[in-house]
Amino acid sequence: MTVNTDYHRPIMLQECLDGLNIHPDGVYVDVTFGGGGHSRAILAQLGEKGKLYGFDQDPDAKVNAQAFNDPRFTFIEANFRNIKKYLRLYGVKKVDGILADFGISSHQIDEPTRGFSTRFEGDLDMRMNQKADMSAFTIVNEYSEAQLHKILGMYGEIKNARTLANAIHSARLNAPIKTTGELKAILEKYAPKFKEFKYFAQVFQAIRIEVNQELEVIEEFLEQIPDLLRDEESRLCIMTFHSLEDRLVKNYIKAGNFKGEPDKDIIYGTVTKPLMAINKKPIEASPEELSINGRSRSAKLRIAALAEK
């Protein structure tokens, strides 16, 4: 079995394997298959009766999955927001471990035609599912000024979000903004001096999150986890790459909701939550990994299990 490591170098691979608490005969799910790096390592630890399901909606990931000529592996071409529904189509109601890596793959970033990167000239796309109707072009050219202001402020945490939204809205009146380069030409006028690259990245992040409904997807996914994990030995391992998604994961593990406020029983005062954290603080990449993979710098790994009843 070969995997294209250029597509995406798996981050914190050993930490993820340890966190999953893998049993040879267990059933596992990699909901962000990508280049298959994590999946390949999971399969290596499974016995003949073990089973692995890989989710991904990206057609390029599907091509990578075809290299997995292994009867223990099943690729599901779908968004993991529907994890429970698709697993049940395969007769799976409970699993022993679920892995999610919310980072964009190196392939997606480095492929100019996908429009994810601030470094390359490409169409304003940013769709993880290339069959989806809405793209970055739709948002930049069709969203109202108020809508642009909202997503730039919420998802990009842009300080001058209102001013930038107005600038984008005004620029597109002359002609549609079609490429990443045309968008960056607008951003350059409003980026803080010496912090241009960070500013570009924040804007692109905001648009990408909106295009792919990333935060809504994470919420829907997390709410299905308690019903899918088999028992207290089953594990959920999630890697996040920015504060917005990490906050959702942290709060859900901590309190069973996305605000992070424990739901207490009115009469007895007991806290009701479906999951418990295995690691109190997120695990981060080692200095050795940071030296060979700069994209691991912002990664945070959280591990959870079913809460004891």
Side-chain angles (χ1 to χ4, degrees):
M1 183 194 306
T2 59
V3 176
N4 181 6
T5 54
D6 292 333
Y7 185 100
H8 184 67
R9 183 189 295 273
I11 292 173
M12 287 194 274
L13 179 58
Q14 190 57 51
E15 290 87 341
C16 289
L17 295 175
D18 293 342
L20 283 171
N21 190 31
I22 295 175
H23 300 289
D25 295 339
V27 178
Y28 296 87
V29 187
D30 180 353
V31 300
T32 46
F33 177 81
H38 287 104
S39 285
R40 182 187 186 193
I42 293 170
L43 277 172
Q45 295 198 13
L46 294 180
E48 293 182 2
K49 296 181 180 179
K51 188 67 180 177
L52 174 65
Y53 294 87
F55 278 74
D56 211 300
Q57 59 186 343
D58 193 317
D60 293 334
K62 183 179 180 180
V63 173
N64 288 329
Q66 291 171 355
F68 279 55
N69 185 21
D70 191 319
R72 302 171 301 168
F73 175 72
T74 299
F75 181 75
I76 300 174
E77 189 178 5
N79 191 310
F80 60 83
R81 73 192 308 169
N82 301 310
I83 181 173
K84 187 190 293 186
K85 179 181 78 173
Y86 279 98
L87 286 177
R88 288 194 172 182
L89 287 175
Y90 288 89
V92 179
K93 294 182 178 180
K94 297 291 183 180
V95 302
D96 298 286
I98 300 172
L99 173 67
D101 173 355
F102 293 151
I104 304 176
S105 73
S106 302
H107 170 78
Q108 290 172 327
I109 294 172
D110 294 337
E111 177 53 55
T113 61
R114 302 298 297 272
F116 285 107
S117 176
T118 62
R119 295 184 291 123
F120 306 114
E121 176 75 11
D123 292 339
L124 280 176
D125 192 333
M126 302 192 196
R127 292 173 298 170
M128 292 182 180
N129 177 3
Q130 292 182 295
K131 296 178 182 178
D133 294 328
M134 187 167 67
S135 67
F137 177 89
T138 310
I139 291 167
V140 171
N141 290 283
E142 297 181 14
Y143 268 35
S144 68
E145 186 175 331
Q147 288 175 305
L148 289 171
H149 174 209
K150 180 180 179 181
I151 68 166
L152 290 170
M154 286 181 57
Y155 301 154
E157 300 178 299
I158 301 294
K159 292 182 179 179
N160 60 350
R162 186 186 298 276
T163 302
L164 181 59
N166 177 264
I168 293 172
H169 184 266
S170 298
R172 75 190 194 198
L173 294 176
N174 299 319
I177 303 166
K178 297 181 179 180
T179 68
T180 54
E182 291 172 1
L183 178 59
K184 281 175 61 180
I186 299 169
L187 304 184
E188 286 173 350
K189 303 174 184 177
Y190 302 93
K193 197 171 183 179
F194 306 120
K195 295 183 179 179
E196 291 87 352
F197 181 78
K198 181 180 179 182
Y199 187 80
F200 297 159
Q202 288 175 289
V203 173
F204 275 52
Q205 172 182 292
I207 297 171
R208 191 201 76 225
I209 288 174
E210 180 69 9
V211 167
N212 299 290
Q213 298 182 302
E214 292 177 29
L215 300 185
E216 291 93 336
V217 168
I218 291 172
E219 290 181 357
E220 292 175 22
F221 164 69
L222 286 170
E223 289 176 333
Q224 297 173 74
I225 298 303
D227 290 337
L228 287 171
L229 293 180
R230 191 183 308 280
D231 52 37
E232 284 76 11
E233 290 189 2
S234 305
R235 294 289 182 266
L236 169 68
C237 294
I238 297 183
M239 266 192 292
T240 61
F241 290 81
H242 60 75
S243 60
L244 296 175
E245 58 192 18
D246 184 61
R247 190 177 303 127
L248 292 178
V249 176
K250 176 184 177 181
N251 286 346
Y252 191 77
I253 293 173
K254 174 184 175 182
N257 59 60
F258 301 110
K259 294 181 179 180
E261 300 172 358
D263 182 17
K264 291 186 178 181
D265 184 280
I266 298 176
I267 299 176
Y268 298 103
T270 55
V271 176
T272 303
K273 63 174 187 174
L275 301 176
M276 66 175 185
I278 297 299
N279 55 324
K280 292 184 178 181
K281 292 185 178 181
I283 299 169
E284 298 181 353
S286 66
E288 292 76 18
E289 182 164 5
L290 289 171
S291 68
I292 60 174
N293 188 1
R295 286 174 179 163
S296 65
R297 189 169 304 279
S298 57
K300 292 184 178 180
L301 173 62
R302 295 186 184 274
I303 305 168
L306 289 173
E308 297 178 359
K309 297 179 180 180

